[in-house]
Amino acid sequence: MPFDADITAKAERLLALARAQGMKLATAESCTGGLIGGALTSIAGSSDVVDRGFITYSNEAKQQMLGVSAESLARFGAVSEAVAKEMAYGALAHSMADAAVAVTGVAGPGGGSEEKPVGLVWFGIAVQGQAPEAFKMLFGDIGRDGIRTETVRKALEALTAAIA
């Protein structure tokens, strides 16, 4: 997938910052299905920074690959603050990365609810030696591709801010 110039510039900035600090990065993706990792690895030379990416679309994958607890999934659902934090932490714990971003959301067109509408995305950020953090964005029902694209953009921005 070709990425727009803004996403490419954000990915280049993140890679340069991580490279300058000697950091490795990981991604844990649900609603984006690997697009964040794709944006990073579309840039030549990214292999010195990108350690790995986890595409954990199902709840089982979140548990098996990242160690997300069944209790969190049952109590809060996959699209939640708790799961985003656990995904980010799990990406660090199961990689050689120093920092990780995780995303879980409702990309639509269906599947939304009053409490979790289409366009809701939770982001998790984990940096070695710090407690994982999470925040949510409500992109609105801007279409599946729009939600996924904006999620990639925001994930790159958030991880850059976290390691800056």
Side-chain angles (χ1 to χ4, degrees), residues 19 27 40 50 60 79 84 92 99-100 105 132-133 160:
R19 188 175 290 117
T27 63
L40 291 168
V50 178
E60 293 76 15
V79 181
L92 283 188
E133 297 182 2
T160 299

Side-chain angles (χ1 to χ4, degrees), residues 3 20 144:
F3 295 95
R144 186 173 183 83

